[in-house]
Amino acid sequence: VTAEVEGSAAALNAALKEVSANAITVILTGTTATAKDLKELATKTSINIDASGIETITGTLADVTAALTAVTEAADVNVTITGPVTVTEINAIGTTGVIKATLEGSATELATLTTSNSDLLTLKVTGTTATATELNAIDAATSVKVNASAVTSITGKAANLKTIYASKTISGLGN
């Protein structure tokens, strides 16, 4: 079967019962899609799906990863991940768009995030110790306030300590 269909990812995914042997050209409408719909839609056609008009993809890490592999999306697509996720998994997401997710970890682990301060990561430092350098790196990885209330011991150079205590985006630091 060769055909062309147009609609939202959700509507097309629900409507199409085809298998990947069919050459269905999918034209996506709308600017948002669930990763699950994109992932499943890609299995219903032998033609690569152009999802470059989709601005935001939302879903579990497994579905988002599968969707980003299964369709051609804009390099700057925004991604919202629901459910648990690790630093390594966040760092592996291939987008220059905004990443939104929630994660917890030690200061050492969270300091290895490669995201930017335009990302919307809700971060919670779970350990009781941290260096000022680690906390500064964590703060730079998100635009959301970092919860560092578990941290009871911070070491580092005076300038770095001054920076984290002056930060308005790190919460829970004692004196």
Side-chain angles (χ1 to χ4, degrees), residues 38-54:
L38 291 173
K39 173 186 79 168
E40 291 175 1
L41 196 54
T43 67
K44 298 176 180 181
T45 179
S46 62
I47 298 176
N48 189 38
I49 296 174
D50 179 0
S52 59
I54 301 296

Side-chain angles (χ1 to χ4, degrees), residues 1-4 16 18-25 44-47:
V1 173
T2 301
E4 183 174 293
L16 292 175
E18 304 300 325
V19 293
S20 64
N22 294 314
I24 300 171
T25 300
K44 298 176 180 181
T45 179
S46 62
I47 298 176

Side-chain angles (χ1 to χ4, degrees), residues 13-80:
N13 187 40
L16 292 175
K17 306 297 181 208
E18 304 300 325
V19 293
S20 64
N22 294 314
I24 300 171
T25 300
V26 174
I27 300 169
L28 294 173
T29 59
T31 58
T32 63
T34 69
K36 182 178 184 289
D37 283 331
L38 291 173
K39 173 186 79 168
E40 291 175 1
L41 196 54
T43 67
K44 298 176 180 181
T45 179
S46 62
I47 298 176
N48 189 38
I49 296 174
D50 179 0
S52 59
I54 301 296
E55 296 172 5
T56 303
I57 299 172
T58 302
T60 65
L61 176 70
D63 284 347
V64 167
T65 302
L68 293 176
T69 302
V71 301
T72 303
E73 77 286 341
D76 63 348
V77 67
N78 299 318
V79 175
T80 298

